[in-house]
Amino acid sequence: MTSLSPVNPDPAATTAAPEPALRRDHPFSRRNLVRTVMGGYLPLLVATLVVFLPLLWMVLSSFKQSGEIVTTDLKILPESLNLENYRTAMTTVPFGQFFLNSTIVTLSGATIKVLLAILTAYALVFVRFPFRNFIFLLILVALMVPPQVSILPNFILIAGIGGKNTLWGIILPGLGTAFGTFLLRQHFRTLPASILESAEVDGAGHWRRLWQIVVPVSVPSIATVALVTIVTEWNDYIWPLIITDRPETMTLPVGLTLLQNNESNAAGWGVLMAGAVLVIVPILIIFAALQRYIVAGLTQGSVTG
């Protein structure tokens, strides 16, 4: 009789043993709570305190007398809400004129910047013309060049055409915004082409397509560009400091320097803090009004078509 050799089982036929299911931690377990606090809430709290505490200290110091600021017995809260520092800040220098100048420069400059960004971004996306991609590349290069590089050529140009100590001399050199053009161009590329094609079939030209279709659906991105532009124009310091040396044409940030020169002693810290509060309050109000558009505008502009 012939002996039968044992048959080796087919490896493919064998069924692998099921792997044990991964055990997930309970949402309120100690491990998950530590991860959440250390990886989320703690960094957020630290970042918030780094930004918020200096602002809080500035506001509280604006109500303090000089003896409460320069002292070894430091107290966080002021002894009383004294508005004398604010009255001194607004009467020592022409604060009203500074505020008017900043308002004119910010509104004019921001409006022109946003309009140019909208028109340029629309042209880069929906208008066919030679070297379109090359022009966009130049805009990207402009984003990488620090603005301080152009201060000297701008000063020579503006002073040469009589723009020194004028508001238009402050506004003119910064009318182009590479950031706004880039953000709006990226957002315009995400718009469905079928909407614009149907409008073109109905006889709508570029101007109607821009203002009746593109702009209404791009409000969050446009509001984001407007907010960034307004903050930049309001807080601009270097260029207005260089191009103006008369109080009649100074903006608020430059006016704070004039206030600091007049209140150079230790007793003037409360006055300086009051002046700084008056400078940032309008921006905080604008930010509060437009902040709901920021996240939506940035996320819309970050998606490419």
Side-chain angles (χ1 to χ4, degrees):
M1 293 179 64
T2 59
S3 60
L4 296 176
S5 59
V7 178
N8 294 327
D10 187 5
T14 60
T15 304
E19 296 182 359
L22 296 177
R23 184 178 180 182
R24 301 181 62 181
D25 294 332
H26 192 272
F28 295 100
S29 65
R30 182 177 179 180
R31 186 176 179 182
N32 272 343
L33 290 177
V34 171
R35 285 181 177 178
T36 303
V37 172
M38 299 301 295
Y41 288 103
L42 184 60
L44 180 61
L45 178 62
V46 172
T48 303
L49 291 178
V50 168
V51 175
F52 180 72
L53 285 182
L55 295 177
L56 178 62
W57 182 256
M58 179 181 64
V59 174
L60 294 177
S61 299
S62 67
F63 295 104
K64 294 180 179 180
Q65 299 300 319
S66 59
E68 301 178 63
I69 300 176
V70 184
T71 179
T72 56
D73 185 17
L74 187 61
K75 296 181 181 179
I76 298 178
L77 297 177
E79 294 181 357
S80 62
L81 295 180
N82 194 338
L83 300 178
E84 185 62 30
N85 290 331
Y86 289 90
R87 284 192 289 266
T88 303
M90 298 183 69
T91 56
T92 303
V93 295
F95 215 90
Q97 184 66 46
F98 298 158
F99 186 87
L100 178 61
N101 294 339
S102 288
T103 303
I104 295 174
V105 169
T106 301
L107 292 180
S108 302
T111 301
I112 297 175
K113 276 186 174 183
V114 173
L115 287 176
L116 290 179
I118 294 173
L119 296 174
T120 306
Y122 180 88
L124 290 173
V125 176
F126 300 110
V127 180
R128 295 184 178 88
F129 57 91
F131 307 109
R132 182 174 60 177
N133 293 331
F134 178 73
I135 293 175
F136 179 66
L137 180 62
L138 293 180
I139 294 175
L140 293 180
V141 172
L143 281 173
M144 307 174 190
V145 177
Q148 291 79 8
V149 174
S150 61
I151 286 180
L152 182 58
N154 284 337
F155 178 80
I156 295 175
L157 175 63
I158 298 300
I161 60 178
K164 189 176 180 181
N165 288 314
T166 61
L167 296 182
W168 66 264
I170 300 176
I171 299 171
L172 185 60
L175 289 183
T177 167
F179 168 77
T181 303
F182 169 76
L183 184 64
L184 292 181
R185 186 251 187 192
Q186 297 304 101
H187 169 63
F188 288 170
R189 292 185 64 190
T190 65
L191 299 180
S194 58
I195 300 178
L196 297 176
E197 290 174 356
S198 60
E200 186 177 1
V201 171
D202 293 339
H206 285 298
W207 194 253
R208 285 183 58 193
R209 277 180 276 170
L210 171 61
W211 297 110
Q212 296 183 8
I213 299 177
V214 175
V215 170
V217 300
S218 305
V219 171
S221 294
I222 296 174
T224 302
V225 174
L227 179 60
V228 173
T229 304
I230 289 173
V231 173
T232 303
E233 289 289 323
W234 186 270
N235 294 330
D236 192 16
Y237 175 74
I238 298 297
W239 175 246
L241 178 66
I242 293 175
I243 202 64
T244 61
D245 54 16
R246 297 177 183 174
E248 294 81 8
T249 54
M250 288 183 177
T251 56
L252 278 174
V254 183
L256 284 181
T257 303
L258 186 62
L259 180 62
Q260 181 182 10
N261 294 335
N262 293 332
E263 301 288 339
S264 58
N265 53 6
W269 283 113
V271 178
L272 291 177
M273 294 299 104
V277 170
L278 292 174
V279 171
I280 68 172
V281 163
I283 288 298
L284 292 180
I285 295 174
I286 295 174
F287 179 83
L290 299 179
Q291 57 88 21
R292 66 191 181 97
Y293 293 108
I294 296 176
V295 175
L298 291 176
T299 53
Q300 285 182 2
S302 62
V303 180
T304 57

